[in-house]
């Protein structure tokens, strides 16, 4: 029963009671004083008397007093009447109606209790974020976001052309569902957008709705999971119902993993609610007929935790990969976002893309905004290339910390360390050019940094390239050892990364002669960066093999370190020269470095690779 019905019932009851009261009174044809009734009795005008609790009615003889037949008089206590009769004046008794006071004494307390009850529930419901209050638990009105027009088109999503191509079919279907029915083909019921965070999955889903010009029902997976068991399931039902009513439409469930996580046999703390919601989703997926023109899209960056039941054919039977953009993709994305800011002529999207390998679409959008903020701060009227390079540094290395001062000795160490990285990179064939080195401390941890510019996106790397990469990472420590003959904590991060690469070479890529082409490590997460970080990996080798793996890793690192040490040793003069200038200027750019290292001894020409002896373990 809803509120309106309740009010109606209350009014009806009141109405009936009031009408009844009036009807009773209207029965009284003519009210006379009691004294008059007595005289009428004496005069014999009355043929019949009826005595009620409070009043007396008398039927009059025919013809008397025109048409009136019945009189009524309120009863008066006979003893009192006898006394009063002597005075010969009209008298009557007045009864007050107790009807309303009786009614109120019942209704008012009931209303007060009802009010308190409502108040408590509303407060309670409000705290749980159920929006509509107690009366509409399970109605998802407040949570489903319906957009009649998303206003986003495929043009706004750049660099993911393959994903767009796959989704184009959905757009065509939504525009003309009949066409697709002709040959008996049916649309996939559910399409799952899979990819790392920030690559534009949500944006892409909205673009599909925008292109097809259909309403967009979106809800996040986590919003289904409620405190009360069953509420989430009701929401799922409600969502599909609403979408069906306005078909053709798109239902979009963002962050599906929050809801569709694999059901476990024994869960601690119970996942009843999520399970029920998931089951309801499966039921809806099975039950709905795609020919009505409702397409279900979902997005996740953790496809591997999803319940297998969700992924079987007939449910989310198509998966579209939305991956990190490559260089051309980055250029396209940058162009989309650069349109929104006032650009100086020197800004070159290609150059920016060169410096942002590995950035996702969201990172790039953020970068353009950061650059615009920097330009605003320096009161320029246009965003220049300089702003972009600064913004990249800011994002890559954390915020510049000008106020954190290193003491002169530390600065010297950092300078030699960074130049060590730069020189090894320059001396090794095929390494990415060094774009900038700096000894301005940034963020937490990094005291200086060397930025290399990848010449292209890499998908494959050879064993040699990986070894060179390790050598570059260890170049900082090699320079420190050569100049100061000490070991410092400044190389901790470099060493951790180098060890990671070396271990992967041995246990994943099969690049070590001693260990062979056997994988000893569990597969890593395809999209999310490893949560465990550097440290003990999930290694499934026997004790003996594990020991040999450790030895191999150690040998790769040692060999690479020997190589970088040779490089800095052979180029000591250049090292000193660069470090001096770096201490002066705090940053060195590519051009200056090239100028300073014209006479660099390179690996292969002047510097020999150290002999790699196979250790006899
Ligand atoms: P996801 O859902 O994959 O985590 P979003 O779709 O929420 O990522 O992307 C966040 C923002 O990043 C978008 O609003 C958009 O501004 C930007 N963005 C991400 N990918 C792209 C892309 N391919 N093209 C243009 N902009 C993008
Ligand atoms: Mg998203
Ligand atoms: Zn370093």
């Amino acid at each position: 029963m809803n509120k309106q019905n309740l009010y109606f019932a209350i009014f009806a009851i009141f109405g009936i009671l009031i009408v009844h009261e009036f009807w009773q009174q209207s029965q009284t044809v003519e009210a006379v004083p009691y004294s008059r009734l007595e005289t009428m009795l004496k005069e014999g005008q009355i043929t019949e008397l009826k005595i009620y609790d409070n009043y007396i009615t008398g039927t009059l003889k025919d013809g008397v007093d025109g048409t009136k037949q019945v009189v009524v008089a309120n009863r008066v206590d006979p003893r009192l009447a006898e006394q009063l009769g002597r005075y010969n004046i009209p008298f009557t008794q007045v009864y007050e109606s107790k009807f309303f006071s009786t009614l109120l004494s019942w209704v008012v307390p009931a209303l007060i209790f009802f009010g308190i009850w409502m108040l408590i529930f509303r407060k309670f419901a409000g705290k749980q974020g159920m929006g509509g209050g107690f009366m509409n638990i399970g109605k998802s009105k407040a949570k489903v976001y319906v957009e009649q027009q998303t206003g986003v088109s495929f043009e706004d999503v750049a660099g993911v052309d393959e994903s767009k191509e796959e989704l184009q079919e959905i757009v065509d279907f939504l525009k003309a569902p009949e066409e697709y029915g002709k040959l008996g083909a049916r649309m996939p019921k559910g399409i799952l957008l899979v990819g790392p965070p920030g690559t534009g999955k949500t944006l892409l889903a909205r673009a599909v709705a925008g292109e097809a010009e259909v309403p967009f029902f979106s809800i996040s997976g986590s919003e289904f999971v409620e405190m009360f068991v069953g509420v989430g399931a009701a929401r799922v039902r409600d969502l599909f119902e609403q979408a069906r009513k306005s078909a053709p439409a798109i239902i979009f469930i963002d962050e599906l993993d929050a809801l569709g996580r694999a059901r476990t046999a024994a869960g601690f703390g119970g996942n009843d609610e999520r399970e029920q919601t998931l089951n309801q989703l499966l039921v809806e997926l099975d039950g709905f007929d795609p020919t009505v023109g409702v397409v279900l899209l979902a997005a996740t960056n953790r496809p591997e935790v999803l319940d297998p039941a969700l992924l079987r054919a007939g449910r989310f039977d198509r998966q579209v990969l939305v991956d990190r953009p490559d260089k051309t993709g980055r250029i396209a994305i940058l162009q989309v976002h650069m349109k929104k800011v006032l650009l100086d002529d020197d800004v070159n999207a290609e150059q920016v893309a060169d410096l942002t390998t590995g950035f996702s679409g969201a990172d790039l959008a953020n970068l353009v905004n950061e650059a615009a903020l920097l330009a605003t701060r320096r009161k320029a009227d246009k965003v220049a290339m300089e702003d972009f390079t600064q913004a990249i540094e800011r994002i890559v290395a954390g915020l510049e910390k000008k106020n954190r001062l290193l003491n002169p000795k530390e600065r010297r160490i950092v300078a030699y360390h960074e130049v060590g990285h730069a020189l090894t990179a320059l001396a090794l064939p095929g390494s990415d050019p060094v774009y900038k080195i700096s000894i301005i401390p940034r963020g937490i941890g990094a005291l200086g940094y060397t930025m290399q510019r990848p010449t292209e996106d890499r998908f494959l790397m050879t064993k040699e390239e990986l070894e060179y990469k390790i050598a570059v990472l260890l170049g900082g420590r090699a320079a420190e050892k050569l100049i100061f003959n000490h070991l410092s904590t400044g190389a901790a991060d470099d060493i951790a990364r180098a060890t990671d690469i070396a271990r992967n070479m041995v246990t994943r890529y099969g690049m070590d002669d001693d260990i062979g082409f056997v994988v000893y490590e569990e597969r890593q997460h395809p999209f999310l960066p490893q949560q465990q970080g550097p440290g003990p990996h999930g290694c499934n080798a026997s004790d003996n093999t594990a020991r040999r793996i450790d030895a191999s890793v150690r040998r790769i690192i040692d060999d690479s370190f020997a190589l970088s040490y040779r490089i800095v040793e052979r180029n000591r003069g250049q090292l000193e020269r660069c470090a001096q200038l770096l201490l002066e200027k705090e940053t060195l750019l590519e051009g200056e470095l090239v100028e300073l290292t014209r006479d660099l001894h390179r690996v292969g020409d002047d510097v020999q690779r150290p002999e790699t002896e196979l250790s006899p373990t």
Side-chain angles (χ1 to χ4, degrees), residues 156-160 196-204 254 333 336-337 361-362 365:
D156 299 315
V157 196
V160 282
T199 47
K201 299 180 295 296
T202 310
L203 192 66
L204 205 51
D254 211 350
I333 295 172
V336 166
H337 290 284

Side-chain angles (χ1 to χ4, degrees), residues 185-420:
R186 65 162 186 83
M187 263 290 109
K189 276 186 183 169
I191 293 143
L192 187 60
L193 303 173
V194 176
T199 47
K201 299 180 295 296
T202 310
L203 192 66
L204 205 51
R206 301 185 64 216
V208 171
E211 286 282 324
E213 295 174 348
V214 297
F216 184 69
F217 291 80
S218 71
I219 190 162
S220 169
S222 58
E223 281 161 14
F224 280 120
V225 182
E226 280 288 349
M227 191 179 74
F228 296 118
V229 173
V231 175
R235 287 228 166 103
V236 172
R237 222 173 299 134
D238 202 50
L239 176 65
F240 276 78
E241 204 174 292
Q242 283 188 43
R244 262 192 292 260
K245 267 184 217 150
S246 47
I250 283 180
I251 302 176
F252 178 56
I253 304 178
D254 211 350
E255 319 292 348
L256 182 68
D257 44 287
L259 162 66
R261 204 168 286 239
R263 289 161 288 190
T264 43
F268 208 29
N271 288 327
D272 277 0
E273 161 62 3
R274 212 180 49 211
E275 250 172 54
Q276 278 211 11
T277 311
L278 176 57
N279 287 338
Q280 185 64 38
L281 182 66
L282 295 177
V283 168
E284 292 288 346
L285 270 172
D286 282 343
F288 94 89
D289 174 12
T291 52
V292 300
V294 176
V295 171
L296 182 62
L297 290 180
T300 182
N301 43 35
R302 315 194 56 195
E304 77 288 341
V305 303
L306 290 182
D307 197 291
L310 265 177
L311 301 177
R312 76 139 165 82
R315 285 170 180 163
F316 284 104
D317 42 12
R318 188 178 291 184
Q319 300 191 16
V320 173
L321 178 67
V322 189
D323 213 348
R324 284 216 177 81
D326 57 6
K327 185 175 160 190
T328 37
R330 288 199 302 275
I331 295 175
I333 295 172
L334 281 168
Q335 275 160 352
V336 166
H337 290 284
M338 279 174 171
K339 258 187 238 151
K340 297 169 198 161
V341 298
L342 263 175
L343 284 187
D344 213 343
D345 298 333
D346 69 337
V347 177
N348 183 340
E350 194 176 334
Q351 251 173 304
V352 178
D354 270 338
L355 297 171
T356 48
T357 313
F359 274 40
S360 69
D363 292 333
L364 291 170
N366 181 33
L367 168 67
V368 175
N369 189 50
E370 283 281 333
L373 285 176
L374 284 171
T376 316
R377 199 174 310 157
R378 67 179 176 93
K379 298 200 167 53
D381 49 356
K382 276 175 181 164
V383 188
M385 191 63 194
E386 178 199 330
D387 301 312
F388 277 95
T389 46
Q390 270 196 36
I392 292 169
E393 283 166 30
R394 208 187 229 199
I395 293 171
V396 169
L399 273 174
E400 196 162 329
K401 283 234 172 91
K402 284 218 169 96
N403 50 0
R404 191 166 76 180
L405 286 174
L406 293 172
N407 69 38
K409 188 171 167 233
E410 282 172 339
R411 274 187 85 222
R412 247 169 73 79
I413 296 173
V414 173
Y416 278 99
H417 178 104
E418 297 304 333
V419 174

